[in-house]
Amino acid sequence: MNLFSANKNSYRMPPFPFVFATLFVALIMLIPLFYLLLRMIHLSVEDLLVLISPRAFQTLSRSLMLMISVTTLSSIIAIPLAWITARTDLPYRKIWTILIMLPLVIPSYVGAYLFLSVFGPTGLFQKVLESLFEIQRLPDIRGLFGATLVLSLLSYPYLFITVRGAISGLDVSMEESSRILGHNRFWTFMKVTLPQLRFPFVSGALLVSLYTLSDFGAVSIFNYNTFSWTIYQQYNSLIDRSISALFSIIFVLLAFLIVLIEFKARGYQKYYRTGSGVSRKPKLIPLGFWKFPVYGFLFCVIGLALLLPISMLGIWLLKGMYFGDSVTFSWVPIFNSIFVSVLSASLIVFFSFATAIILVRYSVTGNRLFESISYLGFVLPGIVVAISVVYFAANYAGIFYQTTALLILAYVILFFPVALGAIRSVLLQINPRFEDAAHGMSHNYYSVLMRINIPLMKPGLIMAFAMVFLLVMKELPVTLILGPLGFKTLATEVWSFSSEAFFASAAIPALMIILICSLPMLMIIIWDKRIGD
Amino acid sequence: MAYRFSVLFVLMCIALLISCSDTTKPTSATKPLVLVEKKVATAPAKSQDADELVVYSGRKESLVGPIIKQFIGATGIDVKVKYGKTGELAATILEEGHKSPADLFFAQDPGGLGAVVNADMFQVLPYSIIGKVPTWAISGNSLWVGISGRVRVVVYNTKNVDPSEISATLEGFTDPKWKNRIGWAPTNGSFQAMVTAMRVKWGKEKTEEWLKGIQSNEPIVYPNNTLIVAAAGAGEIDVGFVNHYYLYRFLASEGDEFGARNHYLTGDGPGSLVLLAGAGILKTAKNKVNAEKFLSFMLSKFAQQYFAEQIFEYPVVEGIEISRLLVLKKLLNLKLTEEVTKFEIDMSDLAETQALLRDLGLIN
């Protein structure tokens, strides 16, 4: 086993199930890549010229511009909120924390549509202004501006979750040392606190960037032509799958580039306490007069990102019922959604726990390569992942085709990196000496995991579970194509009804998604001791 | 402790295995997953042949679900449906190749059917099916049959536009008086079908001129028909090019005060094109007889009445009473019997249309 040059832990080999899990994940992650390369064989040189056309370049730069602006705006929203909910005496912080995280569950095409129906040129907001000030028309927010706004409001929770977890896990004694040495609060924040947040910030920002790159719902509604929207158009325009594959490969290269940048930005520091002493919880900072601007900010963000969609869905439902539109409701999609979400979240958490242990505690050859590959599924547009799995499963694994198992496997490809990021960051905060000490007391490997790793990593594990649960809950393209025959989830119901303008019937499953997803959020809050109230 | 992990691992594997088997053989553990099919199975089985039928439907369940249920009730055939977007389902069928589990592909538009025709994956339909409909509703080699029709119309805002000022043909919309008032969806399949019809009827040059004319009126771009109708209702645009039936959905959910109505263009131009939603049987179908029964049922008076009355689409079989909402039966008869409405999308035609739209910067 020269695959594992065991310079970090020379006395123990990684347990077999963990190695197996890691290799398995690496293998299935390659499915989309293989498929794309296979499709590209049919391309002629002429086709390749599409790549250097000015149009491809424009689309690419539009995608990158959107990615940068969404990541920036999300940071502006998420970092202050993370700090406020972790370190100040804001009342009802647990409830605020749930509310701040919830916009993550709103599918982007629903969010964008609802947002436009309020803030569009003749939306609801204009109707109110018209009755008050006779304003006939508002400026059109379609394009980069609107897309940035909506995508930031839907994706800032990725950053909020990672950064907040890190802030509440920070060892406050470093900051105290800085203050004792005579530095003021601001200097301490900039020089001591912020650098420790670099890793969680970068991994959160990576999720936001990749989410933005692969989104097609919001960008199509806001008519902002990006790379992923182009790929979706190509798959739906039925002409040539080779060209779509070509565009997708560009996407893969882009993802690698971004992941590389992330590696550079992440650095190699240690994030755990090495000296003697015990890390301590910080004292909560009293908000005082600042309470009012803080409340203002909270109301703005939650109002736009959560209350607006929920109340618009409510309006759809009531309006439809009032005008006697048919409103259908069924338990089957609710059950299916919960079933696949729980199963895939558990499986993905298991896989990423195993992989995190191997990646962090053992120095594995090709460690970083593995990590960049694992982001493939998350960045590729869902349709590409779905079609590639269709190709392999239908032709080479017929028994599995159109089973829930295959669907869950596809979810692993899509959402594995999200869980890996959350779990790895908590593992990095654990000093390996704890594990060594337990070994020294002749506990076996699994005993150490149960006594040291799992209890200490619990916040990260729960967080990973909740995030994957949410993502699976709202996933659409893969669920549509790979689900078993007749398989319905809440997300497919929302799509089926809303795209044919059965708005009242679409509102029910959409609201159900939000309701059901707040349960795992609640779990985080209850189990995560770091969020004290 | 090692064993705790092994138990966890084994449990997960078992859960996965259980979930594997739910489509092939429903086991007790997955009972809830197949609730729908269970209900289906209890439906009265009148037919001897109670096999199953696998349908890939690019038409949403909200539209065709009820009539498929009727089919199940009438025949006892266990119909399993995969709902999805027409284009993506066509791509799925192409990737599945001869291993495709699908017996029948029910598509929203001729484009999706064309892709499957192009891959030579449909079988020729028997006369017992195609004999039910007029020739304009049958594809060239009898590979698929139209099941209902949607008409291209102009949706207009009732407050800002008087129907009499809307020109009778598409050509009128290049007039500068429509500047900043038009909505369209160049990426939409139905729109591309309309442009393809234009190219066939008008020739490439005139079509390009028309597209440029609309472009110079700075239309707002939408991703689909639903959003255009919503925008016309809210007064964001004054007119938009859509399929007729979305309006009825809005009237049902927002009431009669909804601010938009349909305007039917007259004449036989591409502006009054009838787009067929249709279906074909795959060469690899395992349940060919059931698939034929399905098509016969969809072309029966009963099912055609459903399409006309419940989802406001145009029947392809003659002698069906049209919903009053659909107005102008006279106009309808005029349209559907004429040879001009017959329209099939050839893949190479669609490719040329997309190339044209791409050159004008309308799609990517």
Side-chain angles (χ1 to χ4, degrees), chain B residues 35-74:
Chain B
L35 253 178
V36 187
E37 284 94 66
K38 282 279 163 194
K39 266 190 216 143
V40 160
T42 55
K46 287 171 197 163
S47 156
Q48 291 284 314
D49 182 25
D51 289 343
E52 54 169 44
L53 173 68
V54 177
V55 177
Y56 280 15
S57 174
R59 312 221 61 199
K60 315 279 174 351
E61 187 178 15
S62 45
L63 299 177
V64 299
I67 193 69
I68 291 179
K69 262 193 194 137
Q70 293 282 345
F71 172 73
I72 293 166

Side-chain angles (χ1 to χ4, degrees), chain A residues 212-284:
Chain A
T212 308
L213 273 185
S214 66
D215 172 74
F216 76 100
V219 293
S220 67
I221 287 174
F222 281 90
N223 189 33
Y224 187 74
N225 220 326
T226 62
F227 231 81
S228 57
W229 176 220
T230 303
I231 292 173
Y232 265 92
Q233 278 177 42
Q234 278 170 344
Y235 271 102
N236 279 298
S237 72
L238 309 156
I239 301 302
D240 189 351
R241 283 167 293 154
S242 313
I243 297 280
S244 327
L246 185 65
F247 273 79
S248 307
I249 283 287
I250 301 301
F251 227 71
V252 171
L253 294 177
L254 197 65
F256 277 137
L257 197 72
I258 292 166
V259 173
L260 276 182
I261 294 171
E262 195 236 348
F263 285 156
K264 279 263 173 281
R266 201 189 265 174
Y268 282 94
Q269 298 110 315
K270 291 195 173 82
Y271 295 92
Y272 46 81
R273 187 184 183 95
T274 52
S276 59
V278 186
S279 63
R280 285 192 300 104
K281 293 289 133 211
K283 265 206 184 115
L284 293 179

